[in-house]
Amino acid sequence: MGMFLNRGITEYESAVNSDIYIDKTDMIQIFSKAVNTEQRYICVSRPRRFGKTMTANMLAAYFEKGSDSRFLFEGRKLGKLPDWDKNLNRFDVIRIDLADLCSSNGSPEAALDFLEKSLKEEVDAAYPGIIRMETDTVTDALARVNDQTEAQFIIIIDEWDALFRDEKNNEFVQTRYINLLRALFKGNRSKKFTALAYITGILPIKKY
């Protein structure tokens, strides 16, 4: 279990165990149908308190390989639907909270450095001997793993726009970040290793 790769189901489990919990698990069927289709890239840009992070936690708990989360969904709305467990615990899940990442690393440059270094280390630990730590980008690493193992990833980025909100005038770091997103979500390589992508934010994504 890592900070970014397959980080566990506890965040969603704690929500399910809370006194106030609304079952929205049937939403998973919509996301599951988008897996490995042209609709696999999903962005939800809505005001705060819209349930975006809860959905991110729920998706991570459902799809994450290496966890047994059946007990969180059996008997709920999702569990009553046909083939509800088709994609249950089937994929490696990359889960990034950009606002938390930026606030805990001192500067946006340090946050991006930490993200890229740590994520490559975690992918290397999960799939040893495949990636080149010194030269591969994150996209290179995921593509190499997919080429050799056919493993696919679910990529979840919560508050993708935190960097733009906090660093409005830092064009250098904005460009670096956009290039990272472009590499992850655009092109034939990303279609091979990305089974589904879900990103959330509050800013109008088209502007950026």
Side-chain angles (χ1 to χ4, degrees), residues 48 66 76 78 99 104 111 120 133:
R48 297 187 186 281
R76 302 196 185 277
L78 177 68
S104 59
K120 286 197 297 181
M133 284 296 298

Side-chain angles (χ1 to χ4, degrees), residues 9 28 32 35 58-74 78 83-91:
I9 63 175
I28 292 173
S32 205
V35 167
M58 180 176 69
L59 293 176
Y62 175 80
F63 285 111
E64 183 178 301
K65 182 190 294 186
S67 294
D68 183 3
S69 60
R70 178 173 292 269
F71 71 98
L72 291 174
F73 302 101
E74 242 173 3
L78 177 68
D83 298 325
W84 71 271
D85 56 354
K86 176 183 177 182
N87 290 312
L88 181 68
N89 304 137
R90 181 182 164 195
F91 297 98

